[in-house]
Amino acid sequence: MSRAERLREALTGGRGARWHPTDALVRGLVLGVGLVVAGAVLHRVELVLIGAPLLISTLLALVTPVGGTPVVGVRGLPLTGEVGAAKSSVEVDAGVGAEVLAIRLPVAGEGIGPVHLLPASAREIGFVLRRDAWGEGVDLRPDHLVAGPDALLVHGPVTAPERGRVILPPVERLPAGLLPARAAVVVGAHRARRPGDSVELRDIRAFQPGDRLRRIDWRVSVRTGALHVREHHAEADADVVLALDTRVDLGEDVGDWAVALRDTTARRGGTLDRTVRAAASLAAGYLRQGDRVSLVDLARPRLSLRAGVGRRQLLRLRNQLVVCARWAGWAQRPVLRPEQVPHGALVVVLSPFLDADVVELAVHAARRGNLVLAVDVLPERLRADGESVWGESAMKVIRLEHDVRLEAMRQHGVAVVSWGAPIGGVLRQARAARRVAR
């Protein structure tokens, strides 16, 4: 017997791992034999008539063969899933002679669920799982107990291992917006400054030796009397760095900012929830255009994800967002290393911007020559602490300091936008401002 089996037997009193009699069996034998014997000794027929059926039914139940080890297995439960409902099932092999199965089955939206009584002849039991929040969680725990005839012999109760899934952050379809162009070997969806073979016209110039004949603009050539060619922009990929500030998770109630979370990944509608949802949606939009997207956790750089493209990168990124949320917590200072940001990349900083450190980080990234987009994830409507007389005043101070930090980033060339507002126009203005400055 292994150490795990000995521990299980010690915790269950040696009864959970094999078939064992119940108290009903003991009572049936004692009462049946006692009533029959008492009726025979006292010459009381009524005692024999009461005890005989009880004794006979108990003996018949014992004669029925009961054995085997009941097996309960979960089928069709993936490791990851999407927000919403999913179907799964439990396969049951109750063993020989079993009549009743008591099993804990989940109810959609109510956790691991209550215990259900079913006939032991059931072989596959289907159910619906539902999770409306992303993150890790337990979906079911199929605890079970199998009973023989008249429930005089039972196997269990058996506490099954918990089975759960990682619900990936949802992806909202939104326009990715204008991105900074960057020349690259791989052709992408954004305009580069060098000439190339895209469909967007760059210039019409005089013919030079080496130009291809198919580029000749015959209409202009006939009008001017000299050969002219069309010059187009090249297309290039863009590097996008999603920088997440996971140090705090704040909701709309200012009075709950100091309250720790329990049994949940993030506050529903809080800054961490908005950060993860925004990062997943932005990554999906940029990857759909063929760009390279990387992920950086400003609080814990070791959780960062290298740049990649395609659907596989989106799946890796959504899984990594769950990992970042799991390890979220206060860090002394946000970190964004220069080697994590390619030259010319778009840096998207997602943060509530409630301290100066993350503001300085965004400004330093802009000074290094990158186009920086600061996405403010602080809830728009904050509610003051009603239990404190200084609640309203404290909330006003928080709002004023927050607005000052956002304006300071704008003054240093950082594009600032609140999550939910259009991003393309803000990036377009930031690019125009950088060109004028140059």
Side-chain angles (χ1 to χ4, degrees), residues 24 78 111 216 335 361:
I216 297 177
V335 178
L361 181 144

Side-chain angles (χ1 to χ4, degrees), residues 108-244:
E110 298 183 8
I112 60 176
V115 175
H116 299 262
L117 291 177
L118 301 172
S121 58
R123 290 294 178 260
E124 185 173 357
I125 307 168
F127 51 85
V128 177
L129 302 173
R130 184 173 185 85
R131 294 260 298 279
D132 295 326
W134 58 268
E136 298 176 336
V138 177
D139 288 293
L140 74 157
R141 194 186 69 196
D143 303 340
H144 57 276
L145 181 144
V146 179
D150 296 333
L152 299 181
L153 291 175
V154 296
H155 184 283
V158 176
T159 302
E162 295 179 344
R163 298 292 300 273
R165 296 173 298 161
V166 176
I167 301 300
L168 300 178
V171 173
E172 302 176 5
R173 297 187 64 89
L174 46 87
L178 185 63
L179 301 180
R182 178 177 183 271
V185 178
V186 183
V187 176
H190 308 290
R191 188 180 65 186
R193 295 171 184 170
R194 62 182 174 86
D197 295 327
S198 72
V199 297
E200 187 173 356
L201 182 64
R202 183 173 183 265
D203 193 12
I204 297 178
R205 57 173 176 81
F207 181 85
Q208 297 177 358
D211 289 337
R212 297 181 179 181
L213 296 179
R214 63 184 179 85
R215 293 185 177 178
I216 297 177
D217 190 326
W218 295 105
R219 184 175 300 177
V220 177
S221 300
V222 170
R223 187 171 63 250
T224 59
L227 291 177
H228 284 74
V229 296
R230 287 176 172 267
E231 191 175 79
H232 298 271
H233 285 283
E235 291 181 343
D237 288 342
D239 284 302
V240 181
V241 179
L242 300 176
L244 276 64

